[in-house]
Amino acid sequence: MRDGKEIICNYVASQEDLHQKYGGVIPELACRRHIDSLPSLFRKSLCCTSEEIDLIAVTKGPGLIGALLVGLNFAKGLSLSLGKPLVGINHVEAHLYAVLMEHSPVFPALGVVISGGHTALVKVQGVGNYQLIGQTQDDAIGEAFDKVAKILHLPYPGGPQIEKLAQQGDPHSYRFKCGQVKGRPFDLSYSGLKTAVLYTVKGQNASKEAPFLIHDHQKADIAAAFQYAAFSTLVEKIQLAAKHYRCHSIILGGGVSQNRYLRTLLEKTSDVPVFWPPSGLSLDNAAMIAGLGFHTFLQKGADTLDLEPLTRIPFMNVPKENYEKSPSAASLAIAVEPECLRGT
Ligand code: KG4
Ligand code: ZN
């Protein structure tokens, strides 16, 4: 990345093939594949000399501990050997940064992170200045798509499969509903919705291994009704939060933001402009990590080599003090993004 916005190169080594037969990510396999893929992926993306690199940005969390460790240690090795500063990046924050690489929304914006591991509504005042408004209390929205796909015997990752199948179904054929969190209007819950699909397909209190009670042709209706329930509640909460927190725009990030049905639904119902990540930057990628790395370095300086991975990182309200935009401070960053190798 150059200057936090210009992508020089951005490669993704997907692990979908590896995890597909299990219907989800197997952490141990994911870590081993990271170790195998990272050196060659890095060599492939070295399109500049080491003198041109000013900064190494790496995901410090949240995520799978093994995957984070592989990326973090690789980046620390690079930083040490090249004598270049290292900066650790919050993966969830980077999903929101992806949209800012192409668009300049008016702040405050309502940030919506919808991925396989996270579902969060955040008030964004600018890069590095966030206030958490709401989040899922159980499954992430992408996780619910993946689990429902598995119930319907669709391949992993389930989001794109459900979206495709739902096009042939009737969203009102089943009455699925998202759970509500008492006293927390901006929080979400997807676990009950997923269980409702399981019971519809396999019977009340049935195990995941139980046979189908439905005919194959009903699968499209179930996919459509599930997708409708998952997104109609999300969109309602987004609109409610945008109004309540007086946001001038809505920005989205994460793999689920690729969904066309969601895009239409949200745009149809929004009073403020809605911005989506540029093509190729919704799903996990290293460009968003390097881009945010540029700003984080300017705001807070480098991390030390004892930087630890964090499987969970709370969203904090980071004020925008001491931020001087100096283009010479980090003209180029290389990112090492272990999450992009996770395929989720
Ligand atoms: O952001 P991401 O690449 O990884 C995480 O940080 O988790 O998101 C991956 C998630 C998966 O759960 C996948 O099923 C979901 O994004 N996803 C979708 C679509 N494309 C990917 N969900 C719904 N509709 C889609 N078109
Ligand atoms: Zn992600």
Side-chain angles (χ1 to χ4, degrees):
M1 290 289 300
R2 186 174 284 120
D3 293 344
K5 285 212 167 167
E6 187 192 334
I7 298 176
I8 299 172
C9 64
N10 183 31
Y11 296 117
V12 175
S14 168
Q15 294 193 6
E16 279 172 16
D17 60 323
L18 180 69
H19 301 291
Q20 210 153 48
K21 56 178 171 290
Y22 306 102
V25 174
I26 307 292
E28 180 63 23
L29 296 180
C31 301
R32 286 171 191 275
R33 181 65 79 85
H34 278 56
I35 295 169
D36 292 343
S37 312
L38 202 41
S40 55
L41 188 69
F42 177 70
R43 269 193 295 273
K44 188 173 154 191
S45 47
L46 255 194
C47 43
C48 49
T49 64
S50 57
E51 289 81 57
E52 288 175 283
I53 298 173
D54 293 322
L55 178 69
I56 317 286
V58 61
T59 299
K60 66 177 176 192
L64 292 175
I65 186 68
L68 294 171
L69 275 169
V70 174
L72 210 53
N73 283 315
F74 191 88
K76 284 180 185 178
L78 272 181
S79 165
L80 195 63
S81 62
L82 299 177
K84 305 292 176 178
L86 173 82
V87 67
I89 294 300
N90 178 336
H91 178 81
V92 179
E93 221 183 294
H95 268 307
L96 281 181
Y97 181 72
V99 65
L100 303 181
M101 279 160 69
E102 199 168 279
H103 302 288
S104 304
V106 180
F107 295 118
L110 180 74
V112 184
V113 183
I114 38 176
S115 72
H118 299 91
T119 310
L121 303 185
V122 184
K123 183 173 175 183
V124 184
Q125 301 276 13
V127 178
N129 191 341
Y130 317 102
Q131 180 194 345
L132 181 69
I133 293 174
Q135 59 189 329
T136 180
Q137 290 296 322
D138 38 60
D139 291 351
I141 186 165
E143 188 182 353
F145 270 84
D146 294 337
K147 287 178 175 169
V148 165
K150 195 172 176 183
I151 294 168
L152 295 175
H153 296 174
L154 299 171
Y156 171 85
Q161 304 289 335
I162 300 253
E163 180 180 5
K164 198 165 151 217
L165 188 61
Q167 285 167 5
Q168 300 153 32
D170 172 6
H172 305 293
S173 51
Y174 293 86
R175 284 181 158 269
F176 295 134
K177 271 177 108 174
C178 272
Q180 295 295 333
V181 186
K182 209 171 164 201
R184 302 188 61 87
F186 306 118
D187 276 355
L188 292 130
S189 163
Y190 285 102
S191 164
L193 173 62
K194 168 202 68 192
T195 308
V197 173
L198 176 70
Y199 288 172
T200 304
V201 174
K202 304 201 165 183
Q204 199 72 17
N205 297 321
S207 74
K208 286 186 189 128
E209 291 71 37
F212 272 17
L213 291 181
I214 53 154
H215 295 290
D216 250 12
H217 69 262
Q218 290 169 290
K219 275 166 68 170
D221 283 342
I222 290 178
F226 159 76
Q227 180 175 254
Y228 176 73
F231 287 149
S232 51
T233 303
L234 178 70
V235 166
E236 254 169 48
K237 302 222 167 201
I238 290 174
Q239 305 300 8
L240 196 69
K243 275 202 183 72
H244 187 83
Y245 288 91
R246 297 196 172 90
C247 295
H248 299 303
S249 54
I250 298 170
I251 59 175
L252 290 99
V256 181
S257 70
Q258 294 205 120
N259 189 291
R260 293 272 143 205
Y261 185 78
L262 169 67
R263 290 186 177 212
T264 312
L265 200 63
L266 187 58
E267 279 171 7
K268 228 170 41 189
T269 53
S270 281
D271 298 331
V272 293
V274 182
F275 298 98
W276 306 91
S279 164
L281 298 184
S282 294
L283 291 164
D284 288 351
N285 66 86
M288 66 184 190
I289 304 297
L292 182 57
F294 172 83
H295 294 277
T296 307
F297 180 69
L298 292 176
Q299 287 176 353
K300 298 189 209 158
D303 282 306
T304 52
L305 287 181
D306 55 7
L307 178 68
E308 295 280 353
L310 296 165
T311 52
R312 293 174 155 268
I313 308 180
F315 249 107
M316 278 176 294
N317 191 5
V318 189
K320 225 183 157 189
E321 289 156 17
N322 309 326
Y323 180 30
E324 288 166 30
K325 195 172 182 321
S326 124
S328 59
S331 59
L332 184 76
I334 290 270
V336 180
E337 156 62 325
E339 292 290 304
C340 75
L341 304 173
R342 214 180 94 200
T344 72

